[in-house]
Amino acid sequence: EDHQATFQEVMKEASPFNFLLTKVTGIPAEFNNKLSVHIKDILSVEMGELVESAQFNFMHDIPWLMEQYPAEHRSKPLLIVHGEERQGKVTLHEGAQNFPNITMCQAKLDMIYGTHHSKMMLLLYTNGLRVVIHTANLIEQDWYQKTQGVWISPLFPKLDKSQMSSDGITGDSITHFKKDLVEYLTMYKSFSLLRWKQHILQHDFTSAKVFLVASVPGRHTGESKNKWGHMKVRKVLGKQGPQASFVKNWSVAGQFSSVGSLGADQSKYLCGEWLQSMLSAKGVGTLYAAKDVTIKTLKLIFPSKENVRTSLEGYPAGASIPYNIQNARKQQYFHAFLHKWKADKRGRSRASPHIKTYALLSPDSKNAAWFMVTSANMSKAAWGTLEKNGNQLMIRSYEIGVMFLPEYFVDGGEQFSLVEDQSTEATPYFPIPWDVPLEPYTKADRPWVWDIPYTDKPDSHGNAWIPG
Ligand SMILES: O=C(O)c1ccc(Nc2c(-c3ccccc3O)nc3cnccn23)cc1C(=O)O
């Protein structure tokens, strides 16, 4: 349909998962009318009359961001939560100096090489509070021609005083989303976030059906070891995930836009630690012996050089896919698991992916036992790495995402259908961004690497790529 869907229509269609993609300039209108939003839609007065907001991100172009708020909201208090230090911090503050309503919060980065990667909006309205967890930087190019993911919470109404309790958390959901979000904010140890913690405590989150999956920098031990990163995933799936017998031969799909150093061979981190968490399930562990893992069990989606070259942005899309040649050379085994970026169903095969998503897929890829959208790329910094004989989880960066489990959306639900016309009441359709079945790299395909030149074939704008 070519008519411009109103935001209310989009949100109605998005229910109950509320998982949308950002609008893309240059693709047919129908693909921007279906489960798609622009930042101006998220900040529009249709969402509610704003009182104040907080914008957690890695990159903030503050003058551009202010333009995305409707005029009547541009004077409302805005908290910018970032990880900039030194010159980056100076530049960021310069961008904010003309806006008296802006307060800055610098997230402490105690672990070297860590980043404040979390992308989240907290929106306090006169009639409630909304949480938006997404994957886009607050810069124009991230909302122009890329594939980005956005989870928009239901409107959480204010608790009335009688429902408030002095200790503990009232108004939480069975997924403990409110408690986990409060704990995440507490880890910043920031006065300006104390205020937002209060706002959250005063609202009713019982309608939150997703699990929070977040990372905070540090060396987490004891109970905290399972609160963050891939160990949170292991805990949630082990307790509330699919029955191990049901997902015996299912595969983990991982889709991301950057890759860290994963170690000399797959059995150490990728398949030995990270995959073991993603394959966790209820009942007898579905843990695979790391050395036996093949592309049958682990399907990774990462843009190929051709994906980037032929994308709407051309090679410059690669400036947001920072996979370096030094790491690529050291982990050739990783390339054996790779699949192309392909999203014909959503009209986004040429909209370079900056979204990060993970799922457990049935052998025929027609169903999923869970789905996750997050800021976390395929890196130890983001998901954490076990130390001290598995007693400590070391994480370098802040990350945040949400996980969807079928039984929290449909009573007794065991799986989502990924094929719209094969969905049923018991197996609802989940709008994943990429096409299934996945398409493996050909022998000729290479993963995109951002710090080497490409002069053999021009990109969609006729240009070569010659990095700095
Ligand atoms: O989401 C993503 O895929 C993503 C991945 C990596 C990333 N890091 C990053 C950094 C950097 C700075 C300081 C310490 C570590 C760093 O990695 N410098 C750049 C420059 N250009 C693009 C990315 N850069 C940022 C994002 C993101 O867009 O948030």
Side-chain angles (χ1 to χ4, degrees):
E1 64 284 343
D2 275 4
H3 82 281
Q4 167 63 29
T6 68
F7 195 62
Q8 302 308 354
E9 284 166 348
V10 171
M11 287 306 285
K12 190 163 163 293
E13 190 202 1
S15 178
F17 305 118
N18 290 7
F19 171 59
L20 303 103
L21 300 180
T22 54
K23 291 190 175 185
V24 173
T25 301
I27 65 175
E30 67 179 285
F31 295 114
N32 282 328
N33 276 329
K34 203 168 153 35
L35 296 177
S36 304
V37 285
H38 187 56
I39 184 166
K40 288 187 174 175
D41 300 322
I42 299 170
L43 299 175
S44 72
V45 292
E46 279 189 81
M47 292 285 276
E49 189 188 333
L50 198 68
V51 172
E52 59 179 295
S53 61
Q55 293 283 358
F56 295 64
N57 220 297
F58 173 73
M59 292 184 205
H60 301 74
D61 172 343
I62 288 178
W64 175 83
L65 172 62
M66 294 307 285
E67 280 295 306
Q68 309 314 305
Y69 283 86
E72 56 269 50
H73 288 170
R74 281 177 204 150
S75 55
K76 304 289 170 61
L78 165 60
L79 179 66
I80 299 288
V81 185
H82 66 90
E84 300 288 356
E85 298 166 321
R86 298 182 292 279
Q87 182 51 45
K89 181 176 179 180
V90 169
T91 309
L92 189 65
H93 279 252
E94 279 166 0
Q97 66 191 16
N98 296 339
F99 304 100
N101 60 311
I102 289 183
T103 309
M104 311 298 279
C105 169
Q106 178 189 352
K108 55 186 176 47
L109 280 165
D110 301 338
M111 308 294 286
I112 187 167
Y113 306 125
T115 54
H116 183 260
H117 213 224
S118 297
K119 297 170 172 72
M120 172 165 68
M121 306 181 189
L122 299 178
L123 305 167
L124 180 64
Y125 305 108
T126 49
N127 65 337
L129 185 144
R130 220 188 274 273
V131 178
V132 179
I133 291 174
H134 62 102
T135 64
N137 285 290
L138 294 171
I139 60 177
E140 187 163 24
Q141 82 185 68
D142 266 40
W143 296 80
Y144 178 52
Q145 294 189 309
K146 296 179 188 294
T147 299
Q148 303 271 18
V150 184
W151 173 74
I152 303 180
S153 80
L155 181 69
F156 298 128
K158 197 136 170 46
L159 285 167
D160 55 56
K161 290 281 169 287
S162 67
Q163 293 170 288
M164 299 288 289
S165 78
S166 55
D167 64 329
I169 302 248
T170 50
D172 203 349
S173 64
I174 45 176
T175 63
H176 302 305
F177 180 81
K178 177 174 178 173
K179 172 176 168 288
D180 291 353
L181 182 59
V182 164
E183 282 192 5
Y184 174 75
L185 295 183
T186 305
M187 294 299 278
Y188 283 77
K189 298 190 181 67
S190 139
F191 183 72
S192 56
L193 284 175
L194 203 54
R195 177 182 172 73
W196 276 100
K197 185 174 155 181
Q198 298 307 332
H199 287 327
I200 287 164
L201 288 170
Q202 290 164 15
H203 284 79
D204 176 359
F205 278 62
T206 43
S207 60
K209 296 189 170 116
V210 295
F211 285 87
L212 188 73
V213 177
S215 293
V216 289
R219 289 184 172 83
H220 307 291
T221 58
E223 259 318 287
S224 298
K225 191 185 78 173
N226 304 317
K227 279 186 181 168
W228 316 109
H230 75 75
M231 291 305 284
K232 172 68 178 286
V233 174
R234 191 176 293 199
K235 180 174 79 176
V236 170
L237 293 178
K239 278 191 179 152
Q240 289 123 325
Q243 283 296 341
S245 52
F246 183 68
V247 292
K248 191 93 194 68
N249 302 314
W250 290 39
S251 317
V252 167
Q255 176 274 313
F256 38 83
S257 61
S258 185
V259 190
S261 167
L262 301 171
D265 68 81
Q266 68 185 49
S267 63
K268 297 236 170 4
Y269 185 74
L270 182 63
C271 302
E273 180 176 325
W274 182 85
L275 183 61
Q276 300 307 328
S277 289
M278 300 293 152
L279 283 174
S280 296
K282 259 191 293 209
V284 174
T286 60
L287 308 192
Y288 288 63
K291 63 181 177 19
D292 302 338
V293 174
T294 67
I295 195 166
K296 222 181 104 29
T297 314
L298 177 60
K299 300 174 182 300
L300 302 178
I301 306 160
F302 182 74
S304 65
K305 177 218 160 187
E306 273 303 286
N307 281 147
V308 175
R309 186 181 72 81
T310 58
S311 70
L312 292 165
E313 297 170 275
Y315 285 129
S320 302
I321 309 173
Y323 186 27
N324 66 48
I325 186 67
Q326 183 195 352
N327 286 336
R329 271 206 207 101
K330 287 188 308 188
Q331 51 203 31
Q332 299 287 336
Y333 64 85
F334 174 74
H335 304 161
F337 297 105
L338 293 182
H339 297 73
K340 302 173 187 175
W341 169 257
K342 188 166 166 294
D344 289 351
K345 188 163 172 40
R346 304 293 294 270
R348 287 168 169 80
S349 291
R350 296 185 62 214
S352 185
H354 191 257
I355 188 173
K356 297 91 174 135
T357 56
Y358 302 82
L360 188 65
L361 300 183
S362 58
D364 64 4
S365 296
K366 290 187 173 179
N367 295 91
W370 51 261
F371 183 84
M372 193 167 19
V373 58
T374 169
S375 62
N377 280 302
M378 178 50 80
S379 78
K380 292 178 178 177
W383 288 105
T385 175
L386 287 169
E387 298 179 333
K388 297 249 187 307
N389 202 20
N391 290 311
Q392 175 170 291
L393 183 69
M394 192 275 280
I395 293 177
R396 296 185 188 278
S397 297
Y398 292 85
E399 306 283 353
I400 197 159
V402 293
M403 178 181 250
F404 303 83
L405 279 167
E407 75 176 276
Y408 291 84
F409 290 89
V410 174
D411 280 349
E414 285 187 306
Q415 56 189 341
F416 296 126
S417 169
L418 304 181
V419 182
E420 196 154 13
D421 55 16
Q422 292 180 25
S423 65
T424 63
E425 182 91 11
T427 310
Y429 169 64
F430 190 94
I432 59 167
W434 23 269
D435 293 344
V436 284
L438 297 169
E439 202 169 312
Y441 275 23
T442 65
K443 282 270 165 284
D445 280 312
R446 294 286 176 276
W448 169 262
V449 168
W450 80 328
D451 53 354
I452 58 174
Y454 300 103
T455 53
D456 54 330
K457 290 170 86 173
D459 69 5
S460 53
H461 296 262
N463 299 321
W465 176 257
I466 302 175

